[in-house]
Each structure stands twice: as C-alpha cells, then as structure tokens.
Amino acid sequence: MRKRYGLAALLLAFLNFGSVAAQTISGDLVNESLSASPGDPVRGRAIVASRQTGLCLLCHSGPFPEERFQGNLAPELGRSAGRLSASELRARIVDASRFNPDTIMPAYYRVDQLFRVAPKFTGQTILTGQEIEDVVAFLVGMNKQNSQ
C-alpha cells in the first residue's frame, strides 16, 4: 500500500515537473499561454498587490493607492509593462534570471536549479500558470491605459 502511494506521489511530481518544463523561453519570449483560460486582469491586480501571493510590491511600485508601502528596488510596474509585450512579460515572470543573472526577482514558474528552497516547497512553482496569465493580463492592461 505504501508503495502505491509513493508511486502515485512520484507520478504526480513528475507530471508537475513536465508541465512546468514544457514551457520554454525562446529568445526573450514565452509565446504560449501557461493556462487553458485567458488571464483575468482583476485577479492579476490582486496577485500583484498581495503581500502573501505575488509579493511584487516588496520591490516594485505601481498604481496601488491603497497600498501604503511599495518597493523601490525594481522598476515601477507601469514603466516595465509599457515597454514589454505579453510574451516578454510572461518570460520575465517565469524566470527573470534568464535576462539578468544577478536579479533578486524570483523565478515564479521554475522548479529546478533553485537555491535555499524550503523542503515543503521543493518541486512547486511560486505561481500557477493561470496566476501568471492573470498577472500578464493586468500588466498588459496597464500598458494600454498608459498609452492612452
């Protein structure tokens, strides 16, 4: 019985790794969506502003008047979103270290070659594919607002 549970857990871990590894960065783009559903900008805004989920505002600032403390270590989100396409934004959220090896931004959708990961989080991404699509939708929406 234990072997069955062990094999099931191993299979689930393998399937999870496979789905994450299937998304590749081509140049500086991730063209394919990471989920079956389109991103929701309202959910994306909530993830970006969340101090428990995205943690984006630890380093970035943005159009969040309700958030008193915002970071100044990374570019303002409106500026970043304004110069990048959805595919470029997605690639940077998936793994920012591909573009800047010295970045402090975490790889939100990578499970390998990570350092100082708590054992209970090993093999897990920080955000799901759907959450990344939601964040991308929010950032692209910011881009459209900024260009008007």
Side-chain angles (χ1 to χ4, degrees):
M1 190 69 133
R2 281 187 183 176
K3 285 184 181 181
R4 285 185 184 171
Y5 286 123
L7 286 173
L10 185 61
L11 180 61
L12 286 173
F14 176 77
L15 291 173
N16 187 32
F17 283 123
S19 66
V20 172
Q23 293 302 326
T24 58
I25 298 175
S26 172
D28 64 347
L29 307 172
V30 173
N31 290 315
E32 301 99 31
S33 174
L34 301 175
S35 71
S37 301
D40 179 333
V42 173
R43 285 193 313 241
R45 184 186 192 285
I47 291 166
V48 170
S50 170
R51 303 265 182 209
Q52 288 77 39
T53 309
L55 299 168
C56 304
L57 297 183
L58 288 177
C59 298
H60 295 276
S61 62
F64 306 95
E66 72 279 10
E67 292 296 331
R68 185 170 165 201
F69 299 107
Q70 298 184 30
N72 60 5
L73 297 173
E76 192 269 332
L77 289 173
R79 226 175 20 164
S80 297
R83 62 183 178 83
L84 299 172
S85 69
S87 296
E88 291 169 323
L89 289 166
R90 186 179 298 111
R92 279 154 179 80
I93 296 167
V94 164
D95 184 5
S97 70
R98 299 265 313 203
F99 306 94
N100 176 2
D102 297 325
T103 187
I104 60 172
M105 183 170 163
Y108 282 92
Y109 201 67
R110 196 175 93 200
V111 295
D112 61 341
Q113 299 175 344
L114 300 173
F115 305 100
R116 297 185 307 210
V117 177
K120 73 178 188 174
F121 297 115
T122 300
Q124 297 180 37
T125 60
I126 296 172
L127 296 177
T128 66
Q130 183 61 56
E131 289 170 326
I132 290 173
E133 292 305 316
D134 294 341
V135 170
V136 169
F138 168 67
L139 295 173
V140 167
M142 281 179 53
N143 184 6
K144 289 178 183 173
Q145 287 177 348
N146 290 339
S147 64
Q148 293 177 352

